[in-house]
Amino acid sequence: MSTQAVLFDAPGPKARLRHKIFTVIGALIAVGIAYVVYVQFEAAGQLQAFMWEPFVTDPQVWTSYLIPGLKGTFTAAAISVVLAVIFGLLFGMGRLSPFAPLRWFCGVIVEFFRSVPVLLMMVFAYFGYFATSNLVPNQHAPLAAVVTALTLYNGAVIAELVRSGVHGLPKGQTEAGLAVGLTPGQVLRSIQLPQALTAMLPALVGQLVVVLKDSALGYGITYLELLNWSKTLGSAYANTVPAYIVAGILFVVINYSLTKFAVYLEGRLKKRRARA
Protein backbone atom coordinates (compact mmCIF):
# COMPACT_ATOMS: atom_id res chain seq x y z
CA MET A 1 0.00 0.00 0.00
CA SER A 2 1.28 3.45 -0.81
CA THR A 3 2.08 5.64 2.18
CA GLN A 4 2.01 8.88 0.19
CA ALA A 5 -0.22 11.48 1.82
CA VAL A 6 -2.62 13.32 -0.46
CA LEU A 7 -4.89 16.29 0.19
CA PHE A 8 -7.74 15.01 -1.99
CA ASP A 9 -8.81 11.93 -3.91
CA ALA A 10 -7.75 11.62 -7.54
CA PRO A 11 -10.62 12.78 -9.80
CA GLY A 12 -12.57 10.12 -11.61
CA PRO A 13 -13.74 10.13 -15.25
CA LYS A 14 -16.79 12.29 -14.56
CA ALA A 15 -14.79 14.78 -12.50
CA ARG A 16 -12.10 15.02 -15.19
CA LEU A 17 -14.77 15.63 -17.83
CA ARG A 18 -16.37 18.28 -15.62
CA HIS A 19 -12.99 19.97 -15.13
CA LYS A 20 -12.41 20.02 -18.90
CA ILE A 21 -15.83 21.57 -19.48
CA PHE A 22 -15.19 24.26 -16.86
CA THR A 23 -11.77 24.94 -18.39
CA VAL A 24 -13.26 25.41 -21.84
CA ILE A 25 -16.01 27.67 -20.49
CA GLY A 26 -13.47 29.73 -18.56
CA ALA A 27 -11.26 30.07 -21.63
CA LEU A 28 -14.23 31.19 -23.74
CA ILE A 29 -15.20 33.78 -21.13
CA ALA A 30 -11.62 35.08 -21.01
CA VAL A 31 -11.47 35.31 -24.81
CA GLY A 32 -14.82 37.12 -24.84
CA ILE A 33 -13.66 39.66 -22.26
CA ALA A 34 -10.41 40.20 -24.17
CA TYR A 35 -12.38 40.76 -27.38
CA VAL A 36 -14.69 43.31 -25.74
CA VAL A 37 -11.68 45.19 -24.34
CA TYR A 38 -10.00 45.11 -27.75
CA VAL A 39 -13.12 46.49 -29.45
CA GLN A 40 -13.40 49.32 -26.92
CA PHE A 41 -9.73 50.26 -27.28
CA GLU A 42 -9.98 50.10 -31.08
CA ALA A 43 -13.09 52.29 -31.06
CA ALA A 44 -11.26 54.84 -28.90
CA GLY A 45 -8.30 54.85 -31.29
CA GLN A 46 -5.87 53.54 -28.66
CA LEU A 47 -4.47 50.68 -30.74
CA GLN A 48 -3.54 52.46 -33.94
CA ALA A 49 -0.24 51.50 -35.56
CA PHE A 50 1.46 54.89 -35.07
CA MET A 51 1.09 54.53 -31.29
CA TRP A 52 3.23 51.39 -31.33
CA GLU A 53 5.92 52.70 -33.67
CA PRO A 54 7.98 54.50 -30.98
CA PHE A 55 8.71 51.17 -29.27
CA VAL A 56 10.50 50.07 -32.46
CA THR A 57 11.77 53.27 -34.05
CA ASP A 58 12.68 55.50 -31.08
CA PRO A 59 15.48 54.20 -28.80
CA GLN A 60 14.64 56.84 -26.19
CA VAL A 61 11.45 54.95 -25.37
CA TRP A 62 13.66 52.27 -23.86
CA THR A 63 16.69 54.22 -22.72
CA SER A 64 14.79 57.11 -21.13
CA TYR A 65 11.62 55.39 -19.87
CA LEU A 66 11.31 51.61 -19.81
CA ILE A 67 14.87 50.68 -18.82
CA PRO A 68 14.97 53.27 -15.98
CA GLY A 69 11.60 51.88 -14.90
CA LEU A 70 12.95 48.34 -14.87
CA LYS A 71 16.00 49.56 -12.97
CA GLY A 72 13.77 51.14 -10.32
CA THR A 73 11.69 47.98 -10.03
CA PHE A 74 14.73 45.71 -9.74
CA THR A 75 16.44 48.04 -7.26
CA ALA A 76 13.48 48.07 -4.89
CA ALA A 77 12.95 44.32 -5.29
CA ALA A 78 16.62 43.40 -4.76
CA ILE A 79 17.03 45.48 -1.60
CA SER A 80 13.68 44.28 -0.25
CA VAL A 81 14.47 40.61 -0.85
CA VAL A 82 17.79 40.80 1.03
CA LEU A 83 16.27 42.64 3.97
CA ALA A 84 13.15 40.45 3.97
CA VAL A 85 15.24 37.27 4.16
CA ILE A 86 17.17 38.67 7.14
CA PHE A 87 13.92 39.80 8.80
CA GLY A 88 12.25 36.47 8.08
CA LEU A 89 15.11 34.38 9.46
CA LEU A 90 15.36 36.42 12.66
CA PHE A 91 11.65 36.49 13.40
CA GLY A 92 11.13 32.94 12.17
CA MET A 93 13.75 31.71 14.63
CA GLY A 94 12.17 33.94 17.26
CA ARG A 95 8.83 32.23 16.72
CA LEU A 96 10.58 28.90 17.34
CA SER A 97 12.33 30.07 20.49
CA PRO A 98 11.69 28.13 23.74
CA PHE A 99 11.58 31.53 25.51
CA ALA A 100 7.84 32.24 25.55
CA PRO A 101 7.88 36.10 25.71
CA LEU A 102 10.22 36.25 22.67
CA ARG A 103 8.05 33.72 20.83
CA TRP A 104 4.89 35.73 21.54
CA PHE A 105 6.51 39.03 20.56
CA CYS A 106 7.77 37.66 17.25
CA GLY A 107 4.37 36.05 16.62
CA VAL A 108 2.55 39.37 17.11
CA ILE A 109 4.97 41.23 14.81
CA VAL A 110 4.75 38.59 12.07
CA GLU A 111 0.96 38.31 12.15
CA PHE A 112 0.55 42.10 12.21
CA PHE A 113 2.70 42.77 9.15
CA ARG A 114 1.17 39.83 7.29
CA SER A 115 -2.26 41.40 7.78
CA VAL A 116 -1.57 45.05 6.89
CA PRO A 117 -1.88 45.90 3.15
CA VAL A 118 1.45 46.68 1.51
CA LEU A 119 0.20 49.93 -0.04
CA LEU A 120 -0.99 51.16 3.35
CA MET A 121 2.45 50.49 4.83
CA MET A 122 4.07 52.38 1.94
CA VAL A 123 1.81 55.39 2.48
CA PHE A 124 2.44 55.48 6.24
CA ALA A 125 6.20 54.95 5.80
CA TYR A 126 6.46 57.70 3.19
CA PHE A 127 4.12 60.42 4.42
CA GLY A 128 4.48 59.53 8.09
CA TYR A 129 8.25 59.37 8.27
CA PHE A 130 10.61 59.40 5.29
CA ALA A 131 9.10 62.45 3.54
CA THR A 132 9.44 64.56 6.69
CA SER A 133 12.67 63.23 8.24
CA ASN A 134 16.31 63.70 7.38
CA LEU A 135 17.19 60.02 7.61
CA VAL A 136 17.45 59.69 3.81
CA PRO A 137 17.70 62.36 1.09
CA ASN A 138 14.38 63.55 -0.27
CA GLN A 139 14.98 61.94 -3.68
CA HIS A 140 15.40 58.54 -2.02
CA ALA A 141 12.42 58.83 0.34
CA PRO A 142 9.98 56.97 -1.99
CA LEU A 143 12.48 54.12 -2.43
CA ALA A 144 12.98 53.89 1.33
CA ALA A 145 9.22 53.71 1.89
CA VAL A 146 8.75 51.04 -0.80
CA VAL A 147 11.62 48.94 0.59
CA THR A 148 10.32 49.28 4.15
CA ALA A 149 6.83 48.10 3.25
CA LEU A 150 8.02 45.23 1.04
CA THR A 151 10.56 44.14 3.67
CA LEU A 152 8.03 44.06 6.51
CA TYR A 153 5.34 42.21 4.57
CA ASN A 154 7.52 39.71 2.77
CA GLY A 155 9.78 39.27 5.80
CA ALA A 156 6.71 38.28 7.80
CA VAL A 157 5.75 35.76 5.11
CA ILE A 158 9.27 34.31 5.08
CA ALA A 159 9.22 34.07 8.88
CA GLU A 160 6.09 31.97 8.61
CA LEU A 161 7.75 29.83 5.95
CA VAL A 162 10.70 29.25 8.30
CA ARG A 163 8.41 28.28 11.15
CA SER A 164 6.29 25.92 9.07
CA GLY A 165 9.38 24.46 7.38
CA VAL A 166 11.01 23.59 10.70
CA HIS A 167 7.77 22.15 12.08
CA GLY A 168 7.47 20.00 8.96
CA LEU A 169 10.74 18.18 9.70
CA PRO A 170 10.67 14.75 11.36
CA LYS A 171 10.61 14.97 15.16
CA GLY A 172 13.31 12.33 15.40
CA GLN A 173 15.95 14.80 14.23
CA THR A 174 15.28 17.07 17.18
CA GLU A 175 15.34 14.17 19.59
CA ALA A 176 18.62 12.90 18.09
CA GLY A 177 20.23 16.32 18.43
CA LEU A 178 19.15 16.65 22.05
CA ALA A 179 20.34 13.11 22.74
CA VAL A 180 23.92 13.92 21.70
CA GLY A 181 24.03 16.93 24.02
CA LEU A 182 22.99 19.84 21.77
CA THR A 183 20.83 22.59 23.20
CA PRO A 184 17.48 23.39 21.54
CA GLY A 185 19.04 26.51 20.00
CA GLN A 186 21.94 24.49 18.58
CA VAL A 187 19.54 21.91 17.18
CA LEU A 188 17.57 24.68 15.49
CA ARG A 189 20.63 26.39 13.99
CA SER A 190 22.67 23.32 13.06
CA ILE A 191 20.11 20.68 12.10
CA GLN A 192 16.63 22.05 11.52
CA LEU A 193 17.18 25.47 9.92
CA PRO A 194 19.56 24.32 7.11
CA GLN A 195 17.09 21.63 6.03
CA ALA A 196 14.13 23.99 6.27
CA LEU A 197 15.92 26.61 4.16
CA THR A 198 16.71 24.04 1.48
CA ALA A 199 13.08 22.97 1.34
CA MET A 200 11.98 26.63 1.31
CA LEU A 201 14.09 27.71 -1.67
CA PRO A 202 11.33 27.29 -4.30
CA ALA A 203 8.90 29.18 -2.07
CA LEU A 204 11.48 31.93 -1.54
CA VAL A 205 11.95 32.31 -5.29
CA GLY A 206 8.18 32.40 -5.66
CA GLN A 207 8.07 35.15 -3.04
CA LEU A 208 10.44 37.17 -5.24
CA VAL A 209 7.63 37.26 -7.81
CA VAL A 210 5.39 38.83 -5.17
CA VAL A 211 8.06 41.42 -4.34
CA LEU A 212 8.45 42.39 -7.99
CA LYS A 213 4.71 42.74 -8.50
CA ASP A 214 4.17 44.66 -5.28
CA SER A 215 6.94 47.12 -6.16
CA ALA A 216 4.43 48.57 -8.65
CA LEU A 217 2.46 49.84 -5.64
CA GLY A 218 5.20 52.45 -5.28
CA TYR A 219 3.29 54.27 -8.02
CA GLY A 220 1.02 55.55 -5.25
CA ILE A 221 3.87 57.39 -3.51
CA THR A 222 5.60 58.65 -6.68
CA TYR A 223 8.37 56.04 -6.69
CA LEU A 224 9.83 55.88 -10.19
CA GLU A 225 9.43 52.21 -11.07
CA LEU A 226 8.21 50.59 -14.29
CA LEU A 227 4.53 51.50 -13.91
CA ASN A 228 5.28 55.14 -13.10
CA TRP A 229 7.72 55.47 -15.99
CA SER A 230 5.13 53.88 -18.28
CA LYS A 231 2.66 56.58 -17.32
CA THR A 232 5.28 59.23 -18.14
CA LEU A 233 6.01 57.47 -21.43
CA GLY A 234 2.32 57.46 -22.32
CA SER A 235 2.06 61.18 -21.61
CA ALA A 236 5.16 62.00 -23.64
CA TYR A 237 4.16 59.98 -26.73
CA ALA A 238 0.36 60.19 -26.37
CA ASN A 239 0.10 56.38 -26.28
CA THR A 240 -0.89 55.64 -22.70
CA VAL A 241 -2.66 52.34 -23.39
CA PRO A 242 0.18 50.83 -25.48
CA ALA A 243 2.69 52.00 -22.84
CA TYR A 244 0.76 50.21 -20.09
CA ILE A 245 0.37 47.12 -22.27
CA VAL A 246 4.12 46.95 -22.88
CA ALA A 247 4.78 47.42 -19.16
CA GLY A 248 2.34 44.61 -18.41
CA ILE A 249 4.08 42.33 -20.90
CA LEU A 250 7.44 43.07 -19.27
CA PHE A 251 6.02 42.23 -15.84
CA VAL A 252 4.54 38.99 -17.19
CA VAL A 253 7.82 37.94 -18.84
CA ILE A 254 9.89 38.67 -15.72
CA ASN A 255 7.50 37.00 -13.30
CA TYR A 256 6.97 34.00 -15.58
CA SER A 257 10.74 33.54 -15.83
CA LEU A 258 11.04 33.60 -12.04
CA THR A 259 8.18 31.14 -11.70
CA LYS A 260 9.80 28.73 -14.14
CA PHE A 261 13.08 29.09 -12.26
CA ALA A 262 11.27 28.17 -9.03
CA VAL A 263 9.83 25.06 -10.71
CA TYR A 264 13.28 24.14 -12.05
CA LEU A 265 14.85 24.67 -8.62
CA GLU A 266 12.20 22.53 -6.95
CA GLY A 267 12.86 19.73 -9.46
CA ARG A 268 16.61 19.88 -8.84
CA LEU A 269 16.07 19.70 -5.09
CA LYS A 270 13.77 16.70 -5.45
CA LYS A 271 16.37 14.89 -7.59
CA ARG A 272 19.09 15.67 -5.06
CA ARG A 273 16.99 14.31 -2.20
CA ALA A 274 16.15 11.22 -4.25
CA ARG A 275 19.85 10.53 -4.91
CA ALA A 276 20.64 11.08 -1.24
Side-chain angles (χ1 to χ4, degrees), residues 59-268:
Q60 288 189 351
V61 168
W62 295 91
T63 58
S64 300
Y65 297 97
L66 294 179
I67 292 179
L70 288 171
K71 181 180 177 181
T73 295
F74 287 136
T75 299
I79 299 173
S80 301
V81 166
V82 173
L83 296 179
V85 169
I86 296 173
F87 181 99
L89 289 176
L90 292 176
F91 280 85
M93 293 176 66
R95 295 201 70 182
L96 297 166
S97 172
F99 186 55
L102 176 61
R103 189 170 64 249
W104 295 337
F105 172 76
C106 292
V108 170
I109 295 296
V110 168
E111 294 301 327
F112 175 79
F113 286 118
R114 284 178 65 199
S115 303
V116 178
V118 179
L119 180 58
L120 188 61
M121 285 193 281
M122 288 184 186
V123 170
F124 272 97
Y126 180 68
F127 293 105
Y129 184 71
F130 289 111
T132 57
S133 71
N134 296 322
L135 181 63
V136 296
N138 289 334
Q139 65 269 26
H140 297 313
L143 172 62
V146 170
V147 168
T148 299
L150 293 177
T151 297
L152 293 176
Y153 174 76
N154 292 282
V157 173
I158 292 173
E160 187 62 19
L161 289 174
V162 171
R163 186 193 66 81
S164 60
V166 170
H167 282 171
L169 296 174
K171 299 295 183 182
Q173 298 190 17
T174 304
E175 297 171 357
L178 296 175
V180 299
L182 298 178
T183 64
Q186 290 173 328
V187 172
L188 175 62
R189 293 190 301 271
S190 302
I191 299 176
Q192 294 176 316
L193 194 57
Q195 296 182 72
L197 289 177
T198 301
M200 283 166 46
L201 279 178
L204 288 175
V205 176
Q207 197 63 30
L208 179 57
V209 176
V210 177
V211 175
L212 276 168
K213 290 192 298 184
D214 286 350
S215 66
L217 296 174
Y219 177 92
I221 56 171
T222 69
Y223 176 60
L224 295 176
E225 42 71 55
L226 181 57
L227 185 61
N228 216 328
W229 274 112
S230 299
K231 175 187 175 183
T232 306
L233 169 64
S235 300
Y237 287 84
N239 60 348
T240 300
V241 172
Y244 281 141
I245 291 175
V246 171
I249 292 173
L250 291 175
F251 271 118
V252 169
V253 170
I254 295 169
N255 291 328
Y256 180 76
S257 300
L258 289 173
T259 302
K260 296 301 290 185
F261 177 70
V263 173
Y264 166 77
L265 187 61
E266 185 176 9
R268 288 292 301 270

